[in-house]
Amino acid sequence: MPSWLLNLKYTLKTKRFWLTSLRDIIVIAVVLFAIASYLQRDMRTGEAMPINAYTIANKPISLFTAPSINAQQHIRENSTQHKPTLVYFWGTWCPVCKVTSPMVNSVSLNPDYQVVSIAVASGSDDDISTFMQHHHYHFDVINQHQTMLLSQQWGAMALPAIYIVDAENNIRFVTSGVTSSWGMSLRLWLATW
């Protein structure tokens, strides 16, 4: 048996190796938690801000507005009309968004959830449309230039920023940076309860 393999076997059996590894994992977890907390410090919580805009495909989007009494009754009777919503702030220029956007796209294919995105500082509607087609993304996109205040109103200062909003228009979860499609789906599912 080669000596390096014997050394490895010996190292893996030592208590010191495992304690050092555990210490390193804890330090990395604390640092990542601190970074995530810092990036999420401005993200809005509580009631979701209304979104009234048109997508780059000229589709009207009206979300999180206070419904009238008749509309509230209709929502209660037809609960599938009001679904948990993933609100995704991103940019075509954002390297982390290039990792997260495919996952948002996979979540958008689930009919149980709504996905709406706001492209921040990403050029014209045609530029964004070309980007979406090139990457085969199918989620709704609002161009930030139409409604300059959305990212400020929502506190989306670090991109990507993801908000999970429940059926009562309450922001249940926020996250900034890379996240997985199963993590987004789990949070959306939890927002149904």
Side-chain angles (χ1 to χ4, degrees):
M1 187 176 281
S3 64
W4 66 269
L5 191 56
L6 287 173
N7 287 338
L8 178 64
K9 277 184 157 183
Y10 174 76
T11 302
L12 291 176
K13 289 182 182 180
T14 65
K15 185 177 179 180
R16 179 184 168 128
F17 169 79
W18 291 108
L19 288 174
T20 304
S21 297
L22 180 61
R23 179 205 63 205
D24 293 347
I25 290 170
I26 290 171
V27 167
I28 290 169
V30 167
V31 168
L32 291 175
F33 178 78
I35 290 169
S37 296
Y38 178 76
L39 291 174
Q40 295 173 14
R41 72 192 180 285
D42 295 323
M43 293 181 77
R44 183 174 175 82
T45 57
E47 190 173 345
M49 293 295 294
I51 297 176
N52 293 301
Y54 285 88
T55 66
I56 59 172
N58 210 26
K59 173 184 164 187
I61 299 277
S62 182
L63 295 172
F64 318 125
T65 56
S68 65
I69 293 172
N70 292 338
Q72 287 176 353
Q73 180 65 29
H74 178 71
I75 288 169
R76 278 190 217 107
E77 291 169 0
N78 193 357
S79 62
T80 59
Q81 293 291 343
H82 207 70
K83 304 174 186 179
T85 304
L86 185 149
V87 180
Y88 176 50
F89 288 86
W90 64 287
T92 57
W93 48 267
C94 168
V96 178
C97 300
K98 291 179 181 171
V99 175
T100 306
S101 292
M103 294 179 228
V104 170
N105 191 61
S106 69
V107 171
S108 75
L109 301 175
N110 185 332
D112 294 332
Y113 310 124
Q114 281 185 137
V115 173
V116 64
S117 72
I118 295 89
V120 179
S122 296
S124 69
D125 290 357
D126 290 337
D127 294 337
I128 298 168
S129 181
T130 301
F131 181 87
M132 296 290 289
Q133 290 170 1
H134 182 263
H135 291 89
H136 307 289
Y137 297 151
H138 304 288
F139 48 84
D140 288 329
V141 181
I142 297 168
N143 193 346
Q144 174 76 20
H145 80 77
Q146 292 179 16
T147 51
M148 295 302 271
L149 297 177
L150 277 177
S151 61
Q152 289 90 358
Q153 289 173 336
W154 283 73
M157 302 303 163
L159 300 182
I162 297 170
Y163 298 81
I164 304 296
V165 182
D166 66 15
E168 282 79 40
N169 298 344
N170 294 311
I171 298 170
R172 294 279 299 272
F173 302 98
V174 297
T175 188
S176 182
V178 176
T179 190
S180 65
S181 56
W182 63 265
M184 288 183 260
S185 295
L186 176 64
R187 290 179 190 122
L188 284 161
W189 179 77
L190 289 172
T192 62
W193 299 95

